Amino acid sequence: MAKYVFVTGGVVSSLGKGLAAASLGCLLQALDYKVTIQKLDPYINVDPGTMSPFQHGEVFVTDDGAETDLDLGHYERFLGHPMSRNNNYTTGRIYQNVIRRERRGDYLGSTVQVIPHITDAIKEAILSAAGGAHIAIIEIGGTVGDIESLPFLEAIRQLRIDLGRENTLFIHLTLLPYIPTAGELKTKPTQHSVKELRAIGIQPDILICRSDREIPDGEKKKISLFCNVDRDAVVSCVDQDSIYKVPFALYREGLARKVINLLHLPGNEPHLGDWEEVLRRVEHPAKRRVTIGIVGKYVDLTEAYKSLSEALTHGGIANDCRVSLRWVDSEDVQESDPASHLKGVDGILVPGGFGERGVKGKIAAIRYAREQGMPYFGICLGMQMAVVEFARNVAGLERANSSEFDENGPDPVISLMTEWVEGNQTQRREKGSDLGGTMRLGAYPCVLQPGTKAAEAYGTLKISERHRHRYEFNNAYRQRLEAAGMRFSGESPDGRLVEMIELPDHPYFVACQFHPEFKSQPRQPHPLFTAFIKAALERGA
Ligand code: GLN
């Protein structure tokens, strides 16, 4: 049977519970345990797919087509294996399941209540998460004290009774704020947060305390005493300049050892060699720095592009160079003078996006990259707009557009697939969305053309990548664009969907309909990011 580690958070939100959970997972894995992680989110949305990236950050897409919390991206990057829809539950999804059962009459006349019906459904979700793992880490979103998280906390309190003390562990993550006038790190918010937890029946076994500086021993003793946890269970987690230092910081604090001891599991020294090399390359890269201009919409909120910025870092790891990101708001890029915001970059990337705002600037930036022989990497909307730009300015289709922005325009080079292929419903994994229409979501196979930059980057012709979009390349324009010099380097196995394009006459101009950033990992950088950063490195050389 799996053992369960529950991670809750207190004092403030955005403490980095996801990273802490992922880092712990990485340490336990380095001790040869099979680990999985699940995130429980207390909000009512059934999944974050309909939420604005401004509010919620990136929507992370899994192979099985679930739109999930961005913490699942951390889990995949730190554990190195794919997550699924079972790794993320929200209050909305739990209620949806319970209400569905209620409508079916499954509750046989009983009154359906938060306790036991909702809490039972939560427990079921938690127990189903473990799969074949030795240790399942369950991260409870939100902050202790929120009304919304109560059913989740009640469920994990019950699970300790159901599963036994030696099979469960409560970790609570808090913040020790530094008060300059007192010259001290303050422990009171942590004490209050633990008090709150204890009031609902949960005594944390381990406290991970975030702070901007080392926690003096005296303070740790105080926390141990007031919060009723072992002295060696007060673990400090000082701010790190790289997320890949967090596992090491937690290891030095003895976190893995403590967890293993409390779960009555044998433990030896973890092997973290591959992570040491990741960190070495991030901190002391051998080659020069490259700067990538990311022309997008959510540029003020880099959380919205979490996997993307990580994947670019991984591209740097693969090339042993540092990658600086310059976030360029596409609304600032002028058609008349695209260079002013893009000067000095070694490569340009247009990421995925929805909605028309800033599209002109994206197209102008793509044109600039194409004409200047500047390495270009287009992802999803970034591929669609590369096609539009090429159709307009090279293939002579002046009014070429995507149906997303010009529904009845004359040359829809990007369109809803329903507009040009019959019977497409059968092969798309459809999902209703309040963005209107449907989405292609999750992993799809793709076949690459031999002799293309795409095939060279991947080193194979059969790949699988994750999608999240409604519009597709319109095959009716394929010959025309091919004749003008665009190469269709990747397509669905049946040849009906264009998945990758490139320009053979350009040093590096590659774009894909899917989101490769979701599959990039520090220990396994994604081939397309590796190839793009390599091209950027070579350009400046
Ligand atoms: N808006 C485009 C579509 O729906 C692109 C989506 C994306 O970039 N993820 O097809």
Side-chain angles (χ1 to χ4, degrees), residues 479-510:
Q479 280 181 349
R480 189 122 179 217
L481 298 193
E482 244 159 6
M486 178 167 271
R487 181 100 198 250
F488 295 88
S489 44
E491 52 192 25
S492 59
D494 64 5
R496 295 202 296 181
L497 296 167
V498 165
E499 309 284 37
M500 290 194 75
I501 60 119
E502 59 188 67
L503 298 181
D505 294 340
H506 187 285
Y508 192 88
F509 192 105
V510 173

Side-chain angles (χ1 to χ4, degrees), residues 4-8 40 126 136-140 152 155-157 159-160 163 167-172:
Y4 287 85
V5 177
F6 300 105
V7 181
T8 56
L40 301 174
I126 292 174
I137 300 174
I138 313 293
E139 178 194 347
I140 318 284
F152 290 109
I156 64 173
R157 183 194 70 77
L159 274 175
R160 167 155 270 190
L163 303 173
N167 295 319
T168 51
L169 183 69
F170 293 123
I171 297 183
H172 190 51

